[in-house]
Every structure is written in structure tokens, then in C-alpha cells.
Amino acid sequence: MIYEPIEVFKEQAGLIPSLDTHDNDDWQCVLLNFDDAENPENYGGYVRLRLENNHVYIQAFTADGDVILDKEIHCSQFR
């Protein structure tokens, strides 16, 4: 697997990736945010991995909040 430094990704894609987590009583999630490299105040799209009730939900959203990916995987599929 090839890993790129964030600076390379920023130069090639024009986006700044960042990672955030959320945790409450019902579910946990990890957000991979992509903000505009030239104007970081402009929020970009994001990918959300949410763990809930033995399921993993993978969702991707545009900067406007439109869903571009919505997938559910039951944890038993990881065995």
C-alpha cells in the first residue's frame, strides 16, 4: 500500500484532509474531512464511518451535503 504525505495530497487534489471523531451513547463515528486548500474556511466534503449495532455505515458527502456513497456492512462480514 502506498501512503502519500498530506502535503502531496494537498498539492495534487487541492484539498486538506483532517480526521475527527464523535462518540455518544448510541454510536461512534470517524470523519475524514476534505477542506479547500486555497481557502480552508470553505468546508469540503467528508467521509463518515459510523459504528452502530454491529454494523459499519460508510457514507460520503459533498460540501453541499449531498450523499455520494451510502453503504452498510454487518460486522460478521469482517470474519
Side-chain angles (χ1 to χ4, degrees):
M1 187 174 282
I2 298 173
Y3 296 96
E4 290 183 346
I6 289 177
E7 284 302 315
V8 172
F9 188 86
K10 180 179 171 182
E11 289 173 14
Q12 292 179 356
L15 297 168
I16 301 171
S18 63
L19 199 58
D20 193 11
T21 61
H22 294 279
D23 189 1
N24 68 26
D25 293 337
D26 297 324
W27 51 268
Q28 299 171 329
C29 77
V30 175
L31 298 175
L32 178 57
N33 303 298
F34 295 97
D35 296 330
D36 188 337
E38 292 183 19
N39 191 359
E41 294 83 32
N42 289 341
Y43 294 117
Y46 62 96
V47 175
R48 177 171 63 197
L49 298 174
R50 190 180 76 202
L51 307 174
E52 182 178 1
N53 297 326
N54 293 321
H55 287 82
V56 177
Y57 298 91
I58 304 168
Q59 299 167 306
F61 301 86
T62 66
D64 294 327
D66 297 326
V67 177
I68 54 178
L69 176 69
D70 192 0
K71 180 78 176 166
E72 174 186 345
I73 301 169
H74 192 276
C75 290
S76 64
Q77 292 176 268
F78 291 112
R79 294 177 194 246

